[in-house]
Amino acid sequence: MDYRKIALSSLILEDPNVLFVATNDDPVYRTGKSGRLCPDVGATLHAIEFATGMQRKAVRLGKPHPYCYELLKKEHNIQVAVDKVIYIGDNLNTDIKFGNDLGMGTCLVYTGITQEPTT
């Protein structure tokens, strides 16, 4: 993603008939054995939203937004009560927030963004 692509995106989004969708708004993710943080979808997404003068906000389909769960239930015909679901994830800000917001049990694993506390 570069300046030209952000500018072009903002021009395309001037058309109110253009659907603006994002998978998530995670700012960063960990990569490689070093666990280095790299920009994720949210970094680009927010740049594009700002480039529209905040006139356009993307529909977010992924965690922690509840639409993700509604789609999952529909697509897989899930009929289990939400309080009987445990959501396992490695990011407090998306995975665990998603589960908590929907009333699920949650389990945090230290394999991604959220790192195990050191004492």
Side-chain angles (χ1 to χ4, degrees):
M1 184 60 72
D2 58 22
Y3 178 84
R4 182 179 164 281
K5 290 179 182 177
I6 293 170
L8 182 59
S9 297
S10 70
L11 290 173
I12 291 168
L13 290 169
E14 286 180 0
D15 179 347
N17 295 313
V18 172
L19 182 61
F20 187 18
V21 179
T23 57
N24 63 66
D25 50 10
D26 294 355
V28 294
Y29 69 96
R30 291 196 184 278
T31 185
K33 290 182 180 181
S34 69
R36 196 180 105 222
L37 292 177
C38 291
D40 204 345
V41 173
T44 302
L45 174 62
H46 289 288
I48 293 170
E49 289 177 340
F50 275 104
T52 69
M54 296 305 289
Q55 297 300 306
R56 296 293 303 272
K57 296 277 287 176
V59 174
R60 286 138 165 97
L61 299 180
K63 309 165 298 189
H65 308 284
Y67 179 81
C68 179
Y69 182 65
E70 295 305 317
L71 184 62
L72 185 65
K73 284 193 324 187
K74 181 179 177 182
E75 288 293 315
H76 297 281
N77 196 30
I78 296 172
Q79 298 177 9
V80 176
V82 72
D83 64 340
K84 302 295 184 202
V85 175
I86 186 164
Y87 198 85
I88 301 169
D90 63 6
N91 187 326
L92 280 172
N93 297 320
T94 56
D95 302 324
I96 303 307
K97 181 179 184 334
F98 178 73
N100 288 340
D101 286 354
L102 291 169
M104 298 174 181
T106 59
C107 177
L108 177 65
V109 294
Y110 297 116
T111 58
I113 291 296
T114 305
Q115 298 292 294
E116 188 168 7
T118 58
T119 54

Short mmCIF file of all heavy atoms in Angstrom, two decimals, residues 62-102:
data_model
loop_
_atom_site.label_atom_id
_atom_site.label_comp_id
_atom_site.label_asym_id
_atom_site.label_seq_id
_atom_site.Cartn_x
_atom_site.Cartn_y
_atom_site.Cartn_z
N GLY A 62 -14.98 -9.15 10.32
CA GLY A 62 -14.25 -10.08 11.19
C GLY A 62 -14.33 -9.71 12.66
O GLY A 62 -15.00 -8.77 13.06
N LYS A 63 -13.60 -10.48 13.45
CA LYS A 63 -13.54 -10.23 14.89
C LYS A 63 -13.00 -8.83 15.13
O LYS A 63 -12.15 -8.39 14.39
CB LYS A 63 -12.63 -11.26 15.56
CG LYS A 63 -12.91 -12.68 15.23
CD LYS A 63 -11.73 -13.55 15.65
CE LYS A 63 -10.53 -13.12 14.89
NZ LYS A 63 -9.35 -13.86 14.92
N PRO A 64 -13.44 -8.16 16.16
CA PRO A 64 -14.37 -8.57 17.19
C PRO A 64 -15.82 -8.18 16.89
O PRO A 64 -16.64 -8.12 17.79
CB PRO A 64 -13.87 -7.81 18.42
CG PRO A 64 -13.38 -6.52 17.87
CD PRO A 64 -12.79 -6.89 16.52
N HIS A 65 -16.15 -7.91 15.67
CA HIS A 65 -17.48 -7.43 15.30
C HIS A 65 -18.49 -8.58 15.26
O HIS A 65 -18.22 -9.63 14.68
CB HIS A 65 -17.40 -6.68 13.98
CG HIS A 65 -16.32 -5.63 14.03
ND1 HIS A 65 -16.49 -4.45 14.69
CD2 HIS A 65 -15.06 -5.63 13.57
CE1 HIS A 65 -15.37 -3.74 14.62
NE2 HIS A 65 -14.48 -4.45 13.95
N PRO A 66 -19.67 -8.40 15.86
CA PRO A 66 -20.63 -9.50 16.03
C PRO A 66 -21.16 -10.08 14.72
O PRO A 66 -21.62 -11.22 14.69
CB PRO A 66 -21.76 -8.89 16.85
CG PRO A 66 -21.54 -7.44 16.88
CD PRO A 66 -20.12 -7.17 16.50
N TYR A 67 -21.07 -9.34 13.63
CA TYR A 67 -21.55 -9.86 12.34
C TYR A 67 -20.85 -11.17 12.00
O TYR A 67 -21.46 -12.08 11.43
CB TYR A 67 -21.34 -8.83 11.23
CG TYR A 67 -21.81 -9.33 9.88
CD1 TYR A 67 -23.15 -9.28 9.54
CD2 TYR A 67 -20.92 -9.86 8.97
CE1 TYR A 67 -23.60 -9.76 8.33
CE2 TYR A 67 -21.36 -10.35 7.74
CZ TYR A 67 -22.69 -10.29 7.43
OH TYR A 67 -23.12 -10.77 6.22
N CYS A 68 -19.60 -11.27 12.36
CA CYS A 68 -18.82 -12.48 12.10
C CYS A 68 -19.49 -13.70 12.72
O CYS A 68 -19.61 -14.75 12.08
CB CYS A 68 -17.42 -12.29 12.67
SG CYS A 68 -16.30 -13.67 12.48
N TYR A 69 -19.95 -13.59 13.94
CA TYR A 69 -20.59 -14.72 14.61
C TYR A 69 -21.95 -15.02 13.99
O TYR A 69 -22.31 -16.19 13.81
CB TYR A 69 -20.72 -14.46 16.11
CG TYR A 69 -21.33 -15.62 16.86
CD1 TYR A 69 -20.67 -16.84 16.92
CD2 TYR A 69 -22.56 -15.51 17.49
CE1 TYR A 69 -21.21 -17.92 17.60
CE2 TYR A 69 -23.11 -16.59 18.17
CZ TYR A 69 -22.43 -17.78 18.22
OH TYR A 69 -22.98 -18.86 18.88
N GLU A 70 -22.70 -13.98 13.66
CA GLU A 70 -24.01 -14.19 13.04
C GLU A 70 -23.86 -14.94 11.72
O GLU A 70 -24.63 -15.85 11.42
CB GLU A 70 -24.73 -12.85 12.82
CG GLU A 70 -25.09 -12.14 14.10
CD GLU A 70 -25.91 -13.00 15.05
OE1 GLU A 70 -26.85 -13.69 14.60
OE2 GLU A 70 -25.61 -12.99 16.26
N LEU A 71 -22.86 -14.58 10.93
CA LEU A 71 -22.60 -15.26 9.67
C LEU A 71 -22.17 -16.71 9.90
O LEU A 71 -22.65 -17.62 9.22
CB LEU A 71 -21.53 -14.50 8.88
CG LEU A 71 -21.21 -15.03 7.49
CD1 LEU A 71 -22.43 -14.98 6.60
CD2 LEU A 71 -20.07 -14.23 6.89
N LEU A 72 -21.31 -16.91 10.87
CA LEU A 72 -20.84 -18.25 11.21
C LEU A 72 -22.02 -19.15 11.62
O LEU A 72 -22.13 -20.28 11.16
CB LEU A 72 -19.82 -18.16 12.34
CG LEU A 72 -19.13 -19.44 12.76
CD1 LEU A 72 -18.27 -19.98 11.65
CD2 LEU A 72 -18.29 -19.19 14.01
N LYS A 73 -22.91 -18.65 12.46
CA LYS A 73 -24.08 -19.42 12.89
C LYS A 73 -24.95 -19.79 11.70
O LYS A 73 -25.40 -20.93 11.58
CB LYS A 73 -24.92 -18.62 13.89
CG LYS A 73 -24.36 -18.56 15.26
CD LYS A 73 -25.32 -18.03 16.31
CE LYS A 73 -26.26 -16.96 15.87
NZ LYS A 73 -27.06 -16.37 16.94
N LYS A 74 -25.17 -18.83 10.82
CA LYS A 74 -26.03 -19.07 9.66
C LYS A 74 -25.41 -20.07 8.69
O LYS A 74 -26.05 -21.02 8.26
CB LYS A 74 -26.32 -17.75 8.95
CG LYS A 74 -27.23 -17.88 7.77
CD LYS A 74 -27.49 -16.53 7.14
CE LYS A 74 -28.36 -16.68 5.90
NZ LYS A 74 -28.58 -15.41 5.24
N GLU A 75 -24.15 -19.86 8.35
CA GLU A 75 -23.47 -20.70 7.37
C GLU A 75 -23.30 -22.14 7.82
O GLU A 75 -23.28 -23.05 7.02
CB GLU A 75 -22.10 -20.11 7.02
CG GLU A 75 -22.15 -18.86 6.18
CD GLU A 75 -22.67 -19.11 4.79
OE1 GLU A 75 -22.26 -20.09 4.14
OE2 GLU A 75 -23.52 -18.32 4.33
N HIS A 76 -23.14 -22.33 9.13
CA HIS A 76 -22.88 -23.67 9.66
C HIS A 76 -24.04 -24.22 10.50
O HIS A 76 -23.88 -25.21 11.20
CB HIS A 76 -21.57 -23.68 10.45
CG HIS A 76 -20.39 -23.37 9.60
ND1 HIS A 76 -19.80 -24.31 8.78
CD2 HIS A 76 -19.72 -22.21 9.39
CE1 HIS A 76 -18.81 -23.74 8.13
NE2 HIS A 76 -18.74 -22.47 8.48
N ASN A 77 -25.18 -23.53 10.43
CA ASN A 77 -26.38 -23.96 11.14
C ASN A 77 -26.10 -24.26 12.62
O ASN A 77 -26.52 -25.29 13.16
CB ASN A 77 -27.01 -25.17 10.45
CG ASN A 77 -28.44 -25.40 10.91
OD1 ASN A 77 -29.13 -24.46 11.27
ND2 ASN A 77 -28.86 -26.66 10.91
N ILE A 78 -25.39 -23.36 13.26
CA ILE A 78 -25.03 -23.53 14.67
C ILE A 78 -26.24 -23.14 15.53
O ILE A 78 -26.76 -22.04 15.41
CB ILE A 78 -23.81 -22.67 15.03
CG1 ILE A 78 -22.59 -23.18 14.26
CG2 ILE A 78 -23.56 -22.69 16.54
CD1 ILE A 78 -21.38 -22.31 14.39
N GLN A 79 -26.65 -24.07 16.39
CA GLN A 79 -27.82 -23.83 17.23
C GLN A 79 -27.48 -23.96 18.71
O GLN A 79 -28.36 -24.16 19.54
CB GLN A 79 -28.94 -24.78 16.82
CG GLN A 79 -29.37 -24.55 15.39
CD GLN A 79 -30.44 -25.54 14.94
OE1 GLN A 79 -30.98 -26.29 15.72
NE2 GLN A 79 -30.73 -25.51 13.66
N VAL A 80 -26.21 -23.85 19.03
CA VAL A 80 -25.75 -23.94 20.42
C VAL A 80 -25.90 -22.57 21.07
O VAL A 80 -25.58 -21.55 20.45
CB VAL A 80 -24.28 -24.40 20.47
CG1 VAL A 80 -23.75 -24.40 21.87
CG2 VAL A 80 -24.12 -25.75 19.82
N ALA A 81 -26.35 -22.54 22.30
CA ALA A 81 -26.44 -21.28 23.03
C ALA A 81 -25.05 -20.67 23.17
O ALA A 81 -24.07 -21.38 23.41
CB ALA A 81 -27.06 -21.51 24.41
N VAL A 82 -24.96 -19.36 23.00
CA VAL A 82 -23.66 -18.68 23.00
C VAL A 82 -22.89 -18.89 24.30
O VAL A 82 -21.67 -18.95 24.31
CB VAL A 82 -23.82 -17.18 22.64
CG1 VAL A 82 -24.44 -16.42 23.78
CG2 VAL A 82 -22.51 -16.57 22.23
N ASP A 83 -23.61 -19.05 25.40
CA ASP A 83 -22.91 -19.26 26.68
C ASP A 83 -22.34 -20.67 26.81
O ASP A 83 -21.67 -20.99 27.79
CB ASP A 83 -23.81 -18.92 27.86
CG ASP A 83 -25.03 -19.81 27.98
OD1 ASP A 83 -25.41 -20.46 26.99
OD2 ASP A 83 -25.60 -19.85 29.08
N LYS A 84 -22.57 -21.51 25.81
CA LYS A 84 -22.01 -22.86 25.77
C LYS A 84 -20.83 -22.95 24.79
O LYS A 84 -20.34 -24.03 24.50
CB LYS A 84 -23.07 -23.89 25.35
CG LYS A 84 -24.27 -23.92 26.26
CD LYS A 84 -23.91 -24.38 27.64
CE LYS A 84 -25.17 -24.49 28.48
NZ LYS A 84 -24.91 -24.44 29.90
N VAL A 85 -20.41 -21.79 24.28
CA VAL A 85 -19.31 -21.72 23.32
C VAL A 85 -18.07 -21.20 24.02
O VAL A 85 -18.14 -20.28 24.83
CB VAL A 85 -19.68 -20.78 22.14
CG1 VAL A 85 -18.50 -20.59 21.19
CG2 VAL A 85 -20.90 -21.29 21.40
N ILE A 86 -16.91 -21.78 23.70
CA ILE A 86 -15.64 -21.23 24.17
C ILE A 86 -14.86 -20.78 22.94
O ILE A 86 -14.77 -21.50 21.96
CB ILE A 86 -14.81 -22.22 25.02
CG1 ILE A 86 -13.59 -21.51 25.59
CG2 ILE A 86 -14.45 -23.46 24.23
CD1 ILE A 86 -12.93 -22.26 26.72
N TYR A 87 -14.39 -19.55 22.99
CA TYR A 87 -13.65 -18.98 21.87
C TYR A 87 -12.18 -18.90 22.26
O TYR A 87 -11.83 -18.30 23.27
CB TYR A 87 -14.19 -17.58 21.53
CG TYR A 87 -13.77 -17.16 20.16
CD1 TYR A 87 -14.51 -17.53 19.05
CD2 TYR A 87 -12.63 -16.41 19.97
CE1 TYR A 87 -14.13 -17.17 17.77
CE2 TYR A 87 -12.23 -16.04 18.69
CZ TYR A 87 -12.98 -16.43 17.61
OH TYR A 87 -12.59 -16.07 16.34
N ILE A 88 -11.33 -19.53 21.48
CA ILE A 88 -9.90 -19.58 21.76
C ILE A 88 -9.19 -18.63 20.82
O ILE A 88 -9.43 -18.66 19.61
CB ILE A 88 -9.36 -21.02 21.58
CG1 ILE A 88 -10.11 -21.97 22.53
CG2 ILE A 88 -7.85 -21.07 21.81
CD1 ILE A 88 -9.85 -23.43 22.27
N GLY A 89 -8.33 -17.79 21.34
CA GLY A 89 -7.62 -16.86 20.49
C GLY A 89 -6.34 -16.36 21.12
O GLY A 89 -6.08 -16.58 22.30
N ASP A 90 -5.55 -15.64 20.30
CA ASP A 90 -4.25 -15.16 20.76
C ASP A 90 -4.15 -13.64 20.77
O ASP A 90 -3.05 -13.10 20.85
CB ASP A 90 -3.13 -15.77 19.91
CG ASP A 90 -3.20 -15.35 18.44
OD1 ASP A 90 -4.04 -14.51 18.08
OD2 ASP A 90 -2.40 -15.88 17.66
N ASN A 91 -5.29 -12.97 20.71
CA ASN A 91 -5.28 -11.51 20.70
C ASN A 91 -6.38 -11.00 21.63
O ASN A 91 -7.56 -11.24 21.39
CB ASN A 91 -5.49 -10.99 19.27
CG ASN A 91 -5.32 -9.50 19.14
OD1 ASN A 91 -5.65 -8.75 20.05
ND2 ASN A 91 -4.82 -9.07 18.01
N LEU A 92 -5.97 -10.32 22.70
CA LEU A 92 -6.95 -9.78 23.65
C LEU A 92 -7.91 -8.79 22.99
O LEU A 92 -9.09 -8.75 23.32
CB LEU A 92 -6.24 -9.06 24.80
CG LEU A 92 -5.68 -9.93 25.91
CD1 LEU A 92 -4.83 -9.10 26.86
CD2 LEU A 92 -6.79 -10.64 26.65
N ASN A 93 -7.40 -7.98 22.05
CA ASN A 93 -8.20 -6.90 21.46
C ASN A 93 -9.18 -7.36 20.40
O ASN A 93 -10.09 -6.60 20.05
CB ASN A 93 -7.29 -5.83 20.88
CG ASN A 93 -6.44 -5.18 21.94
OD1 ASN A 93 -6.91 -4.92 23.03
ND2 ASN A 93 -5.18 -4.94 21.63
N THR A 94 -9.01 -8.55 19.86
CA THR A 94 -9.95 -9.03 18.84
C THR A 94 -10.59 -10.33 19.29
O THR A 94 -11.80 -10.39 19.48
CB THR A 94 -9.27 -9.21 17.47
OG1 THR A 94 -8.15 -10.08 17.60
CG2 THR A 94 -8.83 -7.88 16.90
N ASP A 95 -9.81 -11.37 19.46
CA ASP A 95 -10.34 -12.68 19.78
C ASP A 95 -11.08 -12.71 21.12
O ASP A 95 -12.25 -13.10 21.20
CB ASP A 95 -9.23 -13.73 19.82
CG ASP A 95 -8.47 -13.83 18.51
OD1 ASP A 95 -9.11 -13.67 17.45
OD2 ASP A 95 -7.26 -14.07 18.54
N ILE A 96 -10.41 -12.29 22.16
CA ILE A 96 -11.00 -12.37 23.50
C ILE A 96 -12.12 -11.34 23.65
O ILE A 96 -13.16 -11.63 24.23
CB ILE A 96 -9.92 -12.21 24.59
CG1 ILE A 96 -8.83 -13.29 24.41
CG2 ILE A 96 -10.53 -12.27 25.98
CD1 ILE A 96 -9.33 -14.74 24.33
N LYS A 97 -11.94 -10.16 23.07
CA LYS A 97 -13.02 -9.16 23.07
C LYS A 97 -14.25 -9.71 22.36
O LYS A 97 -15.38 -9.54 22.82
CB LYS A 97 -12.55 -7.87 22.41
CG LYS A 97 -13.60 -6.77 22.40
CD LYS A 97 -13.07 -5.51 21.75
CE LYS A 97 -14.01 -4.33 21.78
NZ LYS A 97 -15.42 -4.55 21.86
N PHE A 98 -14.05 -10.36 21.23
CA PHE A 98 -15.14 -10.97 20.46
C PHE A 98 -15.93 -11.94 21.34
O PHE A 98 -17.16 -11.85 21.45
CB PHE A 98 -14.54 -11.69 19.25
CG PHE A 98 -15.51 -12.42 18.38
CD1 PHE A 98 -16.38 -11.73 17.54
CD2 PHE A 98 -15.54 -13.80 18.36
CE1 PHE A 98 -17.26 -12.41 16.72
CE2 PHE A 98 -16.41 -14.50 17.53
CZ PHE A 98 -17.28 -13.79 16.72
N GLY A 99 -15.23 -12.87 21.96
CA GLY A 99 -15.90 -13.84 22.82
C GLY A 99 -16.61 -13.19 23.99
O GLY A 99 -17.76 -13.51 24.28
N ASN A 100 -15.93 -12.28 24.66
CA ASN A 100 -16.53 -11.60 25.82
C ASN A 100 -17.76 -10.79 25.43
O ASN A 100 -18.77 -10.82 26.12
CB ASN A 100 -15.51 -10.71 26.51
CG ASN A 100 -14.47 -11.50 27.27
OD1 ASN A 100 -14.66 -12.67 27.60
ND2 ASN A 100 -13.34 -10.87 27.54
N ASP A 101 -17.66 -10.03 24.34
CA ASP A 101 -18.78 -9.19 23.90
C ASP A 101 -20.02 -10.01 23.59
O ASP A 101 -21.14 -9.54 23.77
CB ASP A 101 -18.40 -8.36 22.67
CG ASP A 101 -17.47 -7.21 22.98
OD1 ASP A 101 -17.18 -6.96 24.18
OD2 ASP A 101 -17.01 -6.56 22.02
N LEU A 102 -19.82 -11.23 23.11
CA LEU A 102 -20.95 -12.08 22.75
C LEU A 102 -21.41 -13.00 23.89
O LEU A 102 -22.39 -13.71 23.75
CB LEU A 102 -20.60 -12.92 21.52
CG LEU A 102 -20.46 -12.10 20.24
CD1 LEU A 102 -19.85 -12.94 19.13
CD2 LEU A 102 -21.81 -11.54 19.80
#
